[in-house]
Amino acid sequence: MTLQKHTINDVAKLAGVSKKTVSRVLNEEANVRESTRLVVMQAVESLGYKPNPQARGLASNQSFLIGLIYDNPNKSYVSDVQEGALTACEEHGYHLLIQPMIHDQNDVVDKIESLIYSSRLDGLILTQPFSDNKSLNTLLKKINLPYARIAPTEMMDDSLNVVCNDVESAYQMTRYLISLGHIKIGFIVGHPDHPVSQQRLNGYIKALQENKIEYDAKYVQQGFFDFNSGEDCARRLLSLEERPTAIFASNDYMAAGVLKVASQKQISVPHQLSVAGYDNAPISSYIWPALTTVKQPVTQQALMATTLLIQTIRKKMPEETTINLENQLIIRESTAPF
Amino acid sequence: MTLQKHTINDVAKLAGVSKKTVSRVLNEEANVRESTRLVVMQAVESLGYKPNPQARGLASNQSFLIGLIYDNPNKSYVSDVQEGALTACEEHGYHLLIQPMIHDQNDVVDKIESLIYSSRLDGLILTQPFSDNKSLNTLLKKINLPYARIAPTEMMDDSLNVVCNDVESAYQMTRYLISLGHIKIGFIVGHPDHPVSQQRLNGYIKALQENKIEYDAKYVQQGFFDFNSGEDCARRLLSLEERPTAIFASNDYMAAGVLKVASQKQISVPHQLSVAGYDNAPISSYIWPALTTVKQPVTQQALMATTLLIQTIRKKMPEETTINLENQLIIRESTAPF
DNA sequence: CTCAAAAATGACACCGGTGTCATTAAAGAA
DNA sequence: TTCTTTAATGACACCGGTGTCATTTTTGAG
């Protein structure tokens, strides 16, 4: 039984060096002779020694804790972000503290500040809509806490960002629908509090303009990223006299709502109506017909963001402070030529 | 700016007491005069003092960290568990360390042990299939680490459990289908590594027996809790000469697969085929027709488990060590009389 | 071979709390 | 009132590492 009763002193004694030297080896500090490094490592190994993170933290004024802030009803998105962040944390010996929040609660910033202090976080990862939260950004800068933002829309050059070009992807999806022969293309906007909603809309508009299709407000409905709002919007769109031949929803849940309404109205997808979503959520392949959608490398984004953050915490300034990862169009069965 | 430059000494000085007394107040220890308690609290308040968790942990040999172990492809389940556990942790000043694992990797137990020591966890929450992992349970007992198990099937009386009677719920669902007039009822078993799979199957069998319906092996297919396996099983079931008039899948993903196959085969649900799922996953209401399913109070279960665990850690032994929460049948549009 | 510069190591205080035990103040019994 | 018991508080070592700086060892130039 290798019970963890061992302290750094035990290791030092066994290796025949001072505990400070053991500390040096474990923290990969410079100026340690290779031979002593080996002796120490062996002692560590044979005792099964694990440093006490509390003691380490206290002495070095760190917590090795990184906070992940989110407010997203899309559980699969959250799960993917967690996965990426966890992977990066594990690799560098950090731990992840997940912190769901309500973004439109009026004291969010205070709550986050309180969390930072009470847990002594070393850094923070922000997802939308927090990435674009002005007062939060201001606070973090003021207290000088390193942080990384995922999918921010407003840039700030001295901060760490992992961006994904939603305008571009929405543009490409719309262009794809146009290339299939669609002209009357409905669009369901995402939640107004989420900056990406505007971006996706912009991509849609850009594609229309480029193809000389007039923007028609009645084809654009305001949704809220959830299934029900998708249904509502679809009902409105599909009751129009000149109903659209394609509907592009700003996420997959809403697109699923469209499919349901189409089915109820006996409108066959994709023959009479093409439907496209966004996010490549699990549901997109679990419904029938499977959804054409946009896949974001969410896990990879979170991984990069966390890695950047940890590098910064360790004062090894990363070369790039802004990383751009490409999205991918996934064509499935819900879209067809008109 | 209430920067956290304050230590317990500052508070003690301001309140005119020793730091030990401040510590007593903050930890709600007995034998503190009410008047001094107030003075101290006020000093804490006015300085915006937050105790340093690292120092606290080092001195008291605690981490205030609870680990949550899971391996579940069902992201919404994981998310619900996290939510419940987080709520309980927050309430009691603990933090949650999430730890996804691969349950059939051969060194899981070692990995978990390593996690426990390197993070100095105060306790562990186990979900399936870890709740029933024999060697893990043995390890935890040996090293005397408090832990709580969610949905265990094998009982161990000196451990903390939050059980949910899957046999009962599967029984009720099957009985419900029988009450609708179905006799040829297909069943899709869950992943063989998950103990609940057997339980749900047992519930199905129990209902058949009780209603004098002969168990027919060809109506029972082995799935793996994922969408694709649901499709596969459905294809097999629906190609039988005497095809079932109802299919009960052990979770909603597989049930969704059944719906897809039914749609492909032009079998109308629920008129020609009733379909039931299990879990009340988000997908169950996002597909058409919406799934009849079993709702487990997952968030509540995790909350209770975590609360029990924290009470135990704090040596306030909970009165009940095993909690039983009722499931709920949710009837939607995918089931109808035959 | 000598000596200055650089590299490797060690001694020790310190991080900010809590545990233990001694001490003092309040309460109750005689 | 005095003495005993109990409640309230404080002094101080200690938890297990790291930072700083002093000391020793090694390296390399002259």
Side-chain angles (χ1 to χ4, degrees), chain B residues 13 166 177 185 235-236 259 287 297 299:
Chain B
K13 207 167 293 171
D166 283 61
L177 292 171
I185 302 174
R235 254 186 284 278
R236 270 176 256 134
L259 286 189
I287 51 181
T299 304

Side-chain angles (χ1 to χ4, degrees), chain B residues 174 176-187 204 208 213 216 218-219 234 236-249 258-259 262 267-276 333-338:
Chain B
T174 311
Y176 164 70
L177 292 171
I178 293 171
S179 77
L180 290 176
H182 296 281
I183 292 175
K184 288 174 284 183
I185 302 174
F187 187 83
Y204 162 79
L208 293 188
I213 300 176
D216 190 340
K218 73 171 180 286
Y219 287 146
R236 270 176 256 134
L237 288 170
L238 296 176
S239 340
L240 291 174
E241 292 223 0
E242 281 193 300
R243 79 175 191 223
T245 62
I247 296 179
F248 178 15
V258 175
L259 286 189
I267 298 172
S268 156
V269 176
H271 309 99
Q272 300 170 268
L273 177 72
S274 283
V275 177
E333 296 119 30
S334 66
T335 46
F338 177 65

Side-chain angles (χ1 to χ4, degrees), chain A residues 8 19-20 23 27 33 49 52 55-56 59:
Chain A
I8 197 171
K19 63 177 184 172
K20 177 70 227 197
S23 167
N27 291 287
R33 197 169 306 159
Y49 166 74
N52 181 319
R56 237 151 77 87

Side-chain angles (χ1 to χ4, degrees), chain B residues 40-86:
Chain B
V40 170
M41 287 307 281
Q42 189 158 341
V44 167
E45 220 44 58
S46 78
L47 291 178
Y49 166 75
K50 311 252 164 147
N52 180 319
Q54 271 76 36
R56 236 151 77 88
L58 178 58
S60 62
N61 199 28
Q62 292 179 268
S63 65
F64 304 96
L65 250 38
I66 287 176
L68 171 64
I69 313 278
Y70 56 84
D71 174 18
N72 199 314
N74 183 340
K75 296 177 181 183
S76 103
Y77 178 83
V78 168
S79 173
D80 288 343
V81 170
Q82 287 181 354
E83 187 190 329
L86 275 173

